Amino acid sequence: MNRFISCLMMAIAILAMPWFASAEIISPFPERHPSETATSTECAAPPEAVVSLSITSKYGADGPKRDTIDPEADSAFKKQMKPIRTFAQQVVKMANRYTLRGGVSDAQCTLSWLYAWAQKQALSQMDNPNAQFERGQTLAGLSIALLQVAPAVRADARFETVVKWMTGLAPSTNGYFDATRDKLKGSRNNHAYWAALASAGVAAVADDKTLLDWSVRIYQSGVCGATPQGGLPLELERGKKALDYHLFALNALVPVAAFAEANGVPAYAMCDGALHKIVNFTLQSIRNPAAIAAAAKEEQEPFVKGMPSARDLAFLEIYQQAFPGKAPMESELLKLRPFIATPMGGNQTLLYRH
C-alpha cells in the first residue's frame, strides 16, 4: 500500500508540474533539413482513400484470451486492412527516404499522399471497436511520417490541411478510448498505448499540448499499472501470447515516453521507473520465458525463428539510445538492426541514430 501511495503522489506531482521548456512541442528524434544535393524522385499517384472501416478480429470467436488465430478470420482481417497498411507503408517509406537523403521531392510526395487522404477525410468513420484500434496504430505511423518531412514542407499550404485532418482524427480516437475505457479491455491495453502514440505524433505536428497531455495520461496509466515484476496485467491475460503482446505494447509505450521526455515530462521515472521493469521483464523472458509463463499461467508460444523479429523489437533502438547498456541481451538484440516498424514511423535506427 505504501508503494502504491508513493507512486500515486509522484504521478500527481509530475502531472501538476510545468511541462515544457519551450512553447513548441518538439520531436524526440533529430530534424532532417532539406539537402540541395539530394536527387529528385518520381511520385506515384496515391491510392483511393479509405473513409469507413469495419474490421474482423483475426482471432475470430476464440474466447477471452484471444491467443489463437482463426485462419478464416485472419484472412478477412488482412484483406480489410491491406489498403490501409499498403498506404501507411508507402507513406512511411517515403518519409524515411527523406530522413535518409533530405530530398525535397520525397517530402513533397509524402505530403501529397497524405493530402489526398486528408481531402477525403479518410479514416473518419470507424464502424466497430477493431477499426478504432487499428486507426490508432495507423495514425501513429502517419503522424510520425509527417513529422519527419515537416522541415521541408511546413510552408506548403497542403501541410495545414493534413494537420487539420489529423487533429480531427486524434481527438475522435482519444474520445472513443475514454468513453469505452470501463467497458472494453481493448481500450485499456496495448490498443490504448498505440492511440497514445498517435496522439503524441499529432501533438508534435500540430503543436497541441492537449493531445500530448492525453498521451502522457494513457502512458502513465499503463506503466504505473505494471506488477512489481514488470508485467502488464492485461497483456498477461493473453495466455500463450503474453510475451508477444508485451513486446507489442513496448513498441508504443517507449516512443510515447520519448515524446514526453523530449518535452520536459520525466516519463522514464514515473512510478519508480516502472517502464524499466517492464522492459527488463519482457526482454529477459525472450531467453527464459518461465517467469512470464508463470504470470500468464500458460507456456509461451515460441518465436518462429527462436527470436523476436526486428519489427517486434523496434522500441529497443529508442530505449538503447536513452539508456545504453541497460537492456537485457542488448548486444545480441542490436545485431538485428535496422529496427523497422511502420506504426512507429518506420526505421527507428535511422530516426534515432542519424
Side-chain angles (χ1 to χ4, degrees):
M1 180 62 71
N2 288 340
R3 181 180 178 277
F4 173 80
I5 293 173
S6 174
C7 286
L8 180 62
M9 291 178 66
M10 179 181 179
I12 292 171
I14 287 171
L15 291 179
M17 68 193 302
W19 278 24
F20 305 112
S22 67
E24 182 184 5
I25 296 175
I26 62 174
S27 166
F29 48 82
E31 281 192 348
R32 177 58 150 105
H33 295 291
S35 169
E36 294 180 1
T37 60
T39 56
S40 296
T41 56
E42 292 185 7
C43 186
E48 188 68 27
V50 177
V51 177
S52 62
L53 191 64
S54 182
I55 294 294
T56 301
S57 170
K58 62 185 178 182
Y59 296 107
D62 176 56
K65 288 186 179 179
R66 317 292 279 176
D67 64 351
T68 301
I69 292 175
D70 178 287
E72 187 174 338
D74 187 40
S75 178
F77 168 77
K78 288 176 178 175
K79 184 177 181 180
Q80 292 157 353
M81 283 301 299
K82 184 176 180 180
I84 295 171
R85 286 188 169 172
T86 299
F87 175 80
Q89 287 165 0
Q90 290 304 312
V91 166
V92 166
K93 283 180 182 178
M94 289 186 289
N96 284 176
R97 249 192 343 257
Y98 168 78
T99 298
L100 178 64
R101 305 186 306 192
V104 174
S105 61
D106 288 320
Q108 289 176 337
C109 194
T110 303
L111 181 64
S112 70
W113 276 46
L114 290 170
Y115 180 70
W117 277 40
Q119 283 187 303
K120 299 291 186 180
Q121 290 298 299
L123 307 178
S124 58
Q125 300 172 25
M126 300 294 96
D127 297 330
N128 69 349
N130 289 321
Q132 290 280 358
F133 299 158
E134 292 296 332
R135 180 167 70 176
Q137 290 181 61
T138 303
L139 183 57
L142 296 181
S143 62
I144 296 172
L146 182 62
L147 185 59
Q148 289 174 62
V149 302
V153 299
R154 195 177 290 276
D156 190 310
R158 296 174 297 174
F159 182 85
E160 287 305 317
T161 300
V162 175
V163 170
K164 185 177 180 180
W165 168 58
M166 289 185 175
T167 53
L169 294 181
S172 177
T173 301
N174 300 356
Y176 175 83
F177 278 87
D178 285 339
T180 59
R181 186 168 181 79
D182 296 330
K183 302 173 186 176
L184 295 175
K185 285 183 180 179
S187 293
R188 303 191 303 277
N189 68 2
N190 59 80
H191 298 301
Y193 312 150
W194 284 103
L197 181 56
S199 196
V202 178
V205 295
D207 195 22
D208 189 323
K209 180 180 179 296
T210 299
L211 290 177
L212 189 59
D213 284 350
W214 189 87
S215 177
V216 172
R217 178 164 63 83
I218 297 301
Y219 167 86
Q220 176 193 350
S221 175
V223 299
C224 294
T227 68
Q229 193 177 25
L232 294 165
L234 291 180
E235 312 310 330
L236 290 173
E237 290 184 11
R238 302 303 293 269
K240 64 187 178 184
K241 286 192 173 291
L243 178 52
D244 283 344
Y245 277 99
H246 273 72
L247 291 167
F248 188 56
L250 283 169
N251 268 354
L253 288 171
V254 173
V256 169
F259 271 96
E261 290 280 344
N263 289 283
V265 183
Y268 294 131
M270 279 188 182
C271 289
D272 257 354
L275 181 67
H276 301 299
K277 297 175 186 177
I278 300 166
V279 169
N280 288 340
F281 177 66
T282 302
L283 295 183
Q284 287 169 357
S285 295
I286 294 172
R287 178 169 287 158
N288 182 6
I292 198 167
K297 299 182 175 59
E298 194 164 346
E299 292 299 315
Q300 295 301 285
E301 192 170 70
F303 295 106
V304 174
K305 296 182 179 180
M307 287 283 286
S309 68
R311 179 186 61 191
D312 296 331
L313 290 161
F315 70 89
L316 185 59
E317 190 67 72
I318 305 171
Y319 189 80
Q320 191 272 339
Q321 292 298 316
F323 303 99
K326 188 176 178 67
M329 298 177 64
E330 180 183 283
S331 59
E332 181 178 352
L333 296 177
L334 289 179
K335 293 176 183 177
L336 296 171
R337 280 173 168 152
F339 296 111
I340 301 173
T342 297
M344 298 171 70
N347 191 330
Q348 304 302 289
T349 303
L350 171 66
L351 292 184
Y352 287 87
R353 296 184 78 206
H354 84 267

